[in-house]
Structure formats: C-alpha cells, structure tokens
Amino acid sequence: MIEGTQGTRKLLLGNEAIARGAVEGGAAAIAAYPGTPSTEIGDTLRADADAFEYYMEYSINEKTALETAISASQSGLRSMAIMKHVGINVTADSLMSLARSGVRGGFVLSVADDPNMWSSQNEQDSRQYARFVRMPMLTPTSPQEAKEMTAYAFGLSEDLGLPVAVRSTTRVAHSRGPVDFGEVPEVNTEGDFEKEPERLVHIPAHGRQLKPKLLEKIEAAKERMEDLPFTWIDEAGDGEVGIITPGVSYNYVRESLDWMDVDADLLKLGTPYPLPEAQVRAFLESHEKVLIVEELDPIVEEAVRILAQRHGIDVEISGKYDEVIPMPYELTTERVTKALTEYFGVGAPFDFEAQEEAQAAADGDLIGRPPQFCPGCPHEKTFDAIKAVLGDDAIYAGDIGCYTLGVNKGALDIQFAMGAGTGFAAGLAQFNDEPILATIGDSTFYHTGIPGLLNAIYNDADTTVVVLDNRTTAMTGQQPNPSTGWNAVEEETEPMPIEDIARAAGAPFVEVVNPYQSDSIEETIEEAVATQGTSVVVARAPCVLFNQDYGQQLEEIET
Ligand SMILES: Cc1ncc(C[n+]2csc(CCOP(=O)(O)OP(=O)(O)O)c2C)c(N)n1
C-alpha cells in the first residue's frame, strides 16, 4: 500500500501517509495499539511489514507500546508508538519520564484525536499533553503534510533530544489526498543500549537533575520552531487583522476566507507547542487585532495571550475566551465561516439558517441506524444469557468494545474507559447488595482489565466477570491480541487463555462456555453468580466476521 520509490505519487488516507512518513523517517521499531481514528497507521505498517526492514508489534496496550518504542530509542534506534488520544492517558506515567530522560534514537509519538467523538468516549485534546509533558508537537493539515511531519519528526527528536508527537485529528487521519513519496533510508534494527543511570534511572536525585535539563531543551525547541518548514504566513491583509491557526483548522479558515470578502493575514502554525515565540510576537506586533482559530481547547490562544501580556503588546486578541470560536466539538468550514462573518461584521456568504434547516429536514427523513450486533455475533448470545439469568436485578459494569452494545440489551449501567469495568465491579461489590456483573472483551481484558480482576479477587469482591472472548480485537478491525494465536506480523504465538490467568490469580470459580449453547451458558452464569467471591466466566467463540482460517485455528487451540 505504501510501497513506492521516491517521486511516486499515491492517493493516500492521512493515516497511510503517516505510515509512509514513518518509513521515510527511518523508523526501525514500531509499536501500536489500535483505536479510531489512528488504527490504519498500525494496520498499514503491519500489512507492509515484509516490504520494509522495521520491527513491528501490536502491543497489548498503549503503555507497553510506548515502552517498546522507548526501548528501541534508548537502544539507539528510531522508533514510533501509535495510538488514539485516550491511549495517551494509558501511557502517561512512562511518557512523563520519557520527556525527562530524553531520547537517543528519534522517538515519535503518533496520536490521533477525535473531535466530535465520532468513535470515542471523549474528545480530549492531546495538545494538552504536549505542554503537560513538555514534548514538542506537530499538527498536520493534510495527508501530504502528515507524511512530511512524521518523517521530519524523527530528526527533530534527535536534534532536540526529546520525544516529538505528531498529532492528527479525524479529518486528517481519514481524508484522502495525493501524497508525494520521498526516499526510504535503510534501517538497522540491531540496537546497542548504553547504560546511563543518571538519565535513565528515575530516582529523585536523578529526577532533580533532569528537570532543569528538560527546561533547557524546551527553550532550544522554541528556537528550533522558528524555522519549522510547516509554519508560514499567507499575506493577504492590510495589517489590521491577523488570524493564527494550527492544524486542520487552517483548512477551514483558508476556505472560509476564499468565500468571504475580507482581508486578513494568516499565520499557519505547524506546532501548537512550543510556540515559535519570535514569529508569533512579530505577528502580534504587526496587527491591531488577532483572532486564534483552533479546534477543541484554547491551547494556542492561551500561549498567545500569555506572550502578548509578557511583552506588553497592544493587540486585541480573540478566540474561544470571548466566544468568537466555539469551544466544543469539531470545527467545520461552515462553523468557521459563521464565526468569521460575526467577527468581521460582514454578510454571510450563504444563508446559514436555511442550510441548517435543510440539513435538519434531510436528517429527519433518515431512519435512525444505531450500531447493532452483527447477525450471529456471539456477544449477543452472551448478553441474552446474562439477561435471562439476572434480568434487571443486577448492576452491570461494562467496558469498551463491540460488547458495549450490551447497553441496548439493558446490560450496561456504568462504562468509562478501557479496563475500567473490572475495577468498577470490584468496587461496586463492596457497596451494594445486588448482584454485580462485569462484561469485558478479550483485547480489553489484556489491555487494562487484569488489574481490576486481581483487585476484585484480592479484596474478595463478590462479583462475576464475564469475558466475551471472540479471539480478536473486533471493534477496531480484527487486530490480533494474546487470545488470537498470532502476532501483528502473523507469526504464530502461544495464546494466553484468560481462564488460566483467572485461575492463577485464585478466582474461586472459573468456567469456559460456548455462547451459542444457551442452556449451559445460563447455568454457568447462575452458578458463577451464586458462588461467593470473584467468579470468572469466559464466553468464547470467534467473531463471526473473522475469516475461516481463524475459526479452524481456534478449534486447534481451544481449551
Ligand atoms: C485507551 C483506548 N485505547 C483504544 C481504544 C479503541 N478501542 C475501543 S474498543 C477496543 C478493543 C475491543 O476489543 P475487545 O475487547 O477484544 O472487544 P471486541 O470488540 O472484540 O468485542 C479498542 C482497541 C479505546 N477506546 N481506548
């Protein structure tokens, strides 16, 4: 998919372009955990792994992906960890230390945010992590730029000695555009770890030394950002109004201005953190009014307001704080155009209200199509059995995956984040008399579900954990996990039966059931609920969408 010599032009998805950027940037090690809108980056690199030299793994969660990539970097190799925005939360502890340690081989954190929550539980803005962790970040506007930034980020990381994040958003990740290929360097995957305890062993004495070094590196990063090839000014105004805009918002502003009869200079920022302060300062000083247009949190706006205040610059700054630009959800050209017409006090280039009414009328004609279980899905059978046994008398903790659709069956009362369901079951059991039952998928169990189960067993929580083991990570597109029997590059691995993990942890009741055998699954759930302590039921049957080979292989390994 992303093979091709220098000079090739292909129509690529933003995520495929990022994958190409990784190989052009000389990535020797790639570790990913899937999650929309980032998934196709890992899937592309996994599908093309034979064509290139890099090491590729699907890790069991984002934290282990980050740690694999850190290990490669500290062994002198260029590396990339790939995840969706909420995955960064899972990495946060190690990520914080990574910035303080710094890197050896160039380290790129590839993260995709999901404004509007098209397929996520929240729309957190990962740019917050850039300034929290103190990690330079690049934010692309198009597939071509996503490729360029990713390739560039490896060298930037090495020059600064810091991890560099490339943060895209759904509209860049999932739009297609022409992408010009550059050269792919040869890579070596043989590392040479060097012992540097002062840098790599984070005891307080070392941590204290590392903090000022990090602050120095960030000062150097600010300087370096002054020459970033992804930041430029579109000069079209008369010096009165300037607009500062990072990432995908630049596209919306550019298009809106083309529709409207107004003059404004445009500072397109390639980085939200750290700001190229001299460049931004010069822009502020040369305009009377400056508007910041960005999606989600006012990260750039806050930095710009602080800069103006620090330097006593007399400029009127607008953005989210004065409600010119809306705070929540994705921006669109329409939303930006509406904001700009109000800001400039000019007539609208089209009738917003009529357009919204027409859209609402068209939407009203559509039949709602909420997500459904696929016909024949084993998860649906498991939920039917759970409801047949417990009805509405239980409290149901749940998790994230195809089985979240249990909500439509009335079998989900609390669900926050991957792996949280087992933790809630452990906690709810301590404070409620009703039966407590948790549902969790196999990938989610390995990801972060195990600690909640161990906590339940250790604290003798009277609860039942039903693991819906379809032997794949179905929701994100059938990526393998430790239940599957092979890894990201389709090498066979020994599956890790969930029941063995539960037994090893001392669960008093552990049974494996076939979800299609409704009598026996109901009986087993009844017994599990009746057993004092933490019971585990593994409802195992392969995802119906997975291929036939997978089903055959499953029979061989079924326990
Ligand atoms: C921290 C985090 N990482 C990734 C995701 C994306 N994601 C949602 S569900 C899921 C895994 C689903 O697999 P599994 O638990 O096996 O259930 P299935 O969909 O196969 O039923 C993933 C990776 C997420 N929501 N949160």
Side-chain angles (χ1 to χ4, degrees):
M1 241 187 298
I2 53 162
E3 270 186 85
T5 49
Q6 187 172 15
T8 305
R9 172 176 285 196
K10 279 193 181 173
L11 190 65
L12 293 188
L13 207 59
N15 279 342
E16 293 166 340
I18 291 170
R20 175 72 195 186
V23 297
E24 288 184 14
I30 288 152
Y33 187 72
T36 311
S38 74
T39 307
E40 298 83 2
I41 308 171
D43 278 355
T44 303
L45 288 162
R46 163 197 176 198
D48 281 7
D50 284 350
F52 301 101
E53 297 296 320
Y54 51 76
Y55 167 83
M56 159 82 202
E57 74 173 37
Y58 266 125
S59 311
I60 61 143
N61 65 22
E62 292 85 353
K63 185 166 183 287
T64 50
L66 187 92
E67 287 152 359
T68 297
I70 294 173
S71 304
S73 166
Q74 303 303 353
S75 304
L77 305 175
R78 289 189 167 187
S79 66
M80 181 156 106
I82 305 162
M83 61 201 65
K84 71 181 288 177
H85 58 318
V86 284
I88 298 195
N89 304 336
V90 181
T91 73
D93 219 358
S94 289
L95 182 61
M96 205 57 132
S97 293
L98 172 63
R100 277 133 192 88
S101 266
V103 305
R104 258 187 81 208
F107 181 100
V108 177
L109 173 64
S110 172
V111 58
D113 284 10
D114 189 13
N116 221 45
M117 299 157 273
W118 294 107
S119 43
S120 306
Q121 67 267 42
N122 70 37
E123 61 172 11
Q124 77 184 33
D125 190 331
S126 300
R127 299 178 307 158
Q128 295 280 13
Y129 272 104
R131 65 180 184 185
F132 182 36
V133 171
R134 292 194 169 88
M135 165 178 63
M137 181 177 264
L138 308 176
T139 51
T141 59
S142 66
Q144 175 73 36
E145 198 178 50
K147 188 214 75 164
E148 302 294 341
M149 282 184 173
T150 306
Y152 181 88
F154 289 95
L156 181 63
S157 165
E158 279 165 11
D159 292 349
L160 299 175
L162 286 171
V164 172
V166 178
R167 177 255 195 187
S168 67
T169 47
T170 306
R171 293 297 157 192
V172 175
H174 285 170
S175 57
R176 273 183 195 279
V179 175
D180 292 320
F181 286 8
E183 206 180 328
V184 175
E186 288 204 3
V187 296
N188 158 34
T189 53
E190 203 61 38
D192 64 336
F193 180 83
E194 285 172 6
K195 294 185 190 232
E196 294 176 76
E198 289 80 9
R199 190 170 72 77
L200 294 175
V201 179
H202 287 233
I203 56 173
H206 296 164
R208 254 171 246 130
Q209 306 294 324
L210 291 171
K211 178 76 187 274
K213 286 188 182 152
L214 173 61
L215 299 178
E216 268 170 38
K217 285 181 187 174
I218 280 296
E219 286 309 308
K222 278 184 197 164
E223 292 293 314
R224 176 67 189 267
M225 291 303 184
E226 302 289 350
D227 304 319
L228 194 69
F230 312 108
T231 293
W232 65 78
I233 296 177
D234 290 343
E235 276 184 40
D238 52 11
E240 196 193 334
V241 181
I243 299 177
I244 300 179
T245 182
V248 72
S249 310
Y250 169 78
N251 298 335
Y252 306 137
V253 174
R254 198 49 292 147
E255 199 170 354
S256 299
L257 290 177
D258 290 347
W259 283 351
M260 294 165 60
D261 188 21
V262 294
D263 293 327
D265 298 318
L266 203 53
L267 172 57
K268 184 266 189 202
L269 275 182
T271 173
Y273 179 86
L275 278 194
E277 290 189 354
Q279 230 170 344
V280 174
R281 201 176 145 183
F283 193 78
L284 293 176
E285 281 164 350
S286 57
H287 293 90
E288 285 163 36
K289 291 166 71 175
V290 166
L291 172 68
I292 292 109
V293 182
E294 63 190 316
E295 220 168 37
L296 302 186
D297 298 345
I299 310 276
V300 169
E301 183 178 338
E302 284 172 8
V304 169
R305 285 181 185 277
I306 291 169
L307 195 69
Q309 191 266 348
R310 269 173 51 213
H311 295 282
I313 303 169
D314 183 18
V315 56
E316 189 187 311
I317 297 171
S318 291
K320 296 193 183 232
Y321 279 98
D322 52 359
E323 295 180 9
V324 173
I325 303 298
M327 189 80 82
Y329 312 138
E330 193 169 45
L331 293 182
T332 58
T333 310
E334 286 75 13
R335 288 184 94 196
V336 170
T337 306
K338 199 169 179 181
L340 292 186
T341 52
E342 281 162 25
Y343 180 72
F344 285 103
V346 296
F350 51 81
D351 186 340
F352 296 112
E353 269 170 33
Q355 205 182 39
E356 274 165 23
E357 278 165 23
Q359 187 63 49
D363 289 349
D365 289 342
L366 292 174
I367 299 166
R369 293 184 201 82
Q372 307 280 333
F373 286 110
C374 302
C377 173
H379 294 345
E380 181 157 32
K381 313 293 170 208
T382 303
F383 278 110
D384 289 344
I386 291 169
K387 286 299 280 191
V389 174
L390 289 171
D392 296 333
D393 299 333
I395 303 176
Y396 296 108
D399 229 297
I400 309 190
C402 293
Y403 52 90
T404 307
L405 288 169
V407 71
N408 299 336
K409 299 260 177 193
L412 191 52
D413 298 315
I414 181 165
Q415 181 264 98
F416 277 22
M418 278 188 81
T422 50
F424 286 139
L428 287 165
Q430 309 297 359
F431 311 114
N432 296 275
D433 292 333
E434 295 97 319
I436 309 293
L437 185 139
T439 47
I440 184 165
D442 46 327
S443 191
T444 307
F445 180 81
Y446 301 111
H447 178 276
T448 33
I450 293 174
L453 176 68
L454 302 196
N455 192 44
I457 297 170
Y458 174 58
N459 290 300
D460 195 24
D462 189 12
T463 181
T464 300
V465 174
V466 179
V467 187
L468 296 94
D469 180 7
N470 59 5
R471 310 297 285 266
T472 186
T473 315
M475 194 182 201
T476 45
Q478 317 286 7
Q479 292 79 15
N481 68 50
S483 183
T484 306
W486 65 79
N487 64 17
V489 290
E490 295 189 19
E491 289 159 352
E492 276 193 31
T493 59
E494 200 55 47
M496 273 177 220
I498 290 156
E499 58 276 20
D500 289 1
I501 295 171
R503 284 190 192 113
F509 178 100
V510 182
E511 287 286 334
V512 181
V513 288
N514 178 344
Y516 295 105
Q517 288 170 1
S518 41
D519 288 350
S520 69
I521 182 171
E522 283 176 28
E523 254 171 52
T524 308
I525 290 170
E526 244 170 48
E527 262 183 78
V529 172
T531 305
Q532 168 62 36
T534 305
S535 306
V536 177
V537 176
V538 181
R540 176 173 298 137
C543 168
V544 284
L545 294 188
F546 217 24
N547 67 33
Q548 192 57 30
D549 291 348
Y550 178 73
Q552 283 161 0
Q553 178 156 354
L554 180 70
E555 261 153 48
E556 281 167 38
I557 60 174
E558 195 153 23
T559 48

